[in-house]
Amino acid sequence: MPSPRLRIAAALTAATLMLAGCATRSDGFSDGRLDVVTAFYPLQYLASRIGGAEVSVTDLTKPGAEPHDVELNPRQVGRVADAGLVIYLKGFQPAVDQAVAQEAADRALDISTVVQLLPAEEHSHEPGEDEHAEANGNADPHVWLDPLRYEQIAQAVADRLAQIDPQHADAYQSRAAATKEELKDLNTTYAAALKTCQRREIVTSHAAFHYLADRYGLTEVGITGISPEAEPSPQRLAHVAEEARATGTSTIFFETLVSPKVAETIAREVGAKTAVLDPLEGVTEAGADYFTVMRTNLNALTTALGCSS
């Protein structure tokens, strides 16, 4: 049996090794797979689809949570610190920005650097709702709702994965190519379906659909601006109601992760109905993904706008 002195020495050696392990940053791989951390659903979807079995993806925004104001716990910050790649959108989630700046500045992909962002709509300037846009030069973050811009992000994700993990570069690029082809097809479907419609204005609970409207020649009228939880002023409500009446709007759209009360108020005032238009900031329905939600959105739009097939 080892002497007490030997047992103490062994324990001290083990403790030293454990401390050394904690102090040493991970190489970004676990069990042979690249650890990827994503900030919210559309980025998680691309990382998982393009990364395949070669990556392990952790999303910082839980399903059903509103991503604009996400807060990170110490475990999540640790995930950021240990990741081989963090994919985020600077200016959209301040807590994620801070964690990346402190823990992963050299291992992050900011998608705002690979795709041109549109400016936030001017009517978003209600008290308390400018902070998200201002953090990124007053830009609108909802870029994934344009399939062709989302395609650019897909390629950037594949390129960065291939750079970090060249052993699986061909697999990443192959999956990205398939994803991009499906996004091209989605864009073609949207363009054809929305080409001829009785109306071209969409009234939404918050201004998340600027990119979609810009791509397909629609006009978005947001009840609130970039932040979905902001309270619209009485003046803004009156203005939206006036526009809805003037354009013959038959449907006021609300989204899945926030209360529909404001949209319902406008709908009652102008004699319209309500329907869901999902900004795809998170997916809660089992079996749903980016493409199924985008197709459901298209059905809602063609119905509301009176589009001919």
Side-chain angles (χ1 to χ4, degrees):
M1 178 179 293
S3 68
R5 181 176 295 177
L6 288 175
R7 289 200 297 271
I8 293 171
L12 288 172
T13 300
T16 301
L17 290 173
M18 288 179 63
L19 288 172
C22 292
T24 302
R25 174 169 281 171
S26 166
D27 66 355
F29 288 82
S30 299
D31 299 323
R33 297 198 296 168
L34 178 64
D35 286 324
V36 178
V37 170
T38 56
F40 55 97
Y41 174 74
L43 306 183
Q44 179 266 323
Y45 180 73
L46 285 183
S48 298
R49 181 164 180 155
I50 295 169
E54 286 75 42
V55 305
S56 174
V57 180
T58 299
D59 193 33
L60 296 176
T61 303
K62 296 178 181 179
E66 217 299 315
H68 289 75
D69 299 310
V70 69
E71 298 293 338
L72 304 184
N73 59 43
R75 183 182 182 88
Q76 289 174 306
V77 174
R79 290 278 194 179
V80 171
D82 290 339
L85 176 63
V86 181
I87 308 173
Y88 77 120
L89 173 56
K90 187 176 181 180
F92 184 46
Q93 298 166 295
V96 176
D97 291 354
Q98 183 178 2
V100 169
Q102 293 178 351
E103 306 291 347
D106 59 338
R107 291 167 290 109
L109 172 61
D110 171 13
I111 65 168
S112 72
T113 65
V114 299
V115 63
Q116 183 178 2
L117 300 183
L118 295 174
E121 293 287 84
E122 291 183 1
H123 64 68
S124 67
H125 297 298
E126 295 285 350
E129 71 174 6
D130 291 346
E131 63 271 16
H132 302 292
E134 287 180 355
N136 206 341
N138 202 36
D140 185 338
H142 303 90
V143 63
W144 55 90
L145 291 170
D146 175 354
L148 297 188
R149 284 184 170 91
Y150 197 48
E151 180 189 345
Q152 292 178 256
I153 298 170
Q155 185 59 59
V157 169
D159 290 343
R160 183 62 69 88
L161 291 174
Q163 180 185 21
I164 298 170
D165 183 20
Q167 181 180 352
H168 300 110
D170 289 346
Y172 298 141
Q173 296 294 355
S174 177
R175 294 189 199 106
T179 302
K180 289 166 61 180
E181 195 62 34
E182 192 167 352
L183 287 167
K184 286 185 174 72
D185 290 343
L186 180 66
N187 172 65
T188 299
T189 300
Y190 258 78
L194 297 174
K195 185 177 181 179
T196 305
C197 303
Q198 295 176 16
R199 294 171 295 278
R200 305 208 68 79
E201 296 79 18
I202 54 174
V203 179
T204 60
S205 58
H206 94 284
F209 298 90
H210 188 185
Y211 290 93
L212 188 149
D214 180 74
R215 176 64 63 189
Y216 303 110
L218 305 177
T219 299
E220 181 188 28
V221 180
I223 299 173
T224 65
I226 295 298
S227 175
E229 296 178 349
E231 289 291 333
S233 65
Q235 293 83 358
R236 182 62 194 167
L237 289 173
H239 177 72
V240 172
E242 182 181 350
E243 287 202 40
R245 292 191 192 94
T247 57
T249 296
S250 64
T251 305
I252 309 297
F253 289 110
F254 67 94
E255 60 188 74
T256 53
L257 298 180
V258 296
S259 171
K261 289 183 179 179
V262 174
E264 291 170 347
T265 298
I266 296 287
R268 284 195 299 270
E269 185 168 341
V270 303
K273 61 183 179 180
T274 59
V276 171
L277 196 62
D278 195 329
L280 263 164
E281 293 173 349
V283 171
T284 57
E285 186 177 344
D289 64 18
Y290 175 86
F291 286 100
T292 62
V293 173
M294 285 294 283
R295 293 185 183 103
T296 299
N297 279 348
L298 180 58
N299 288 336
L301 285 168
T302 56
T303 299
L305 299 178
C307 306
S308 58
S309 57

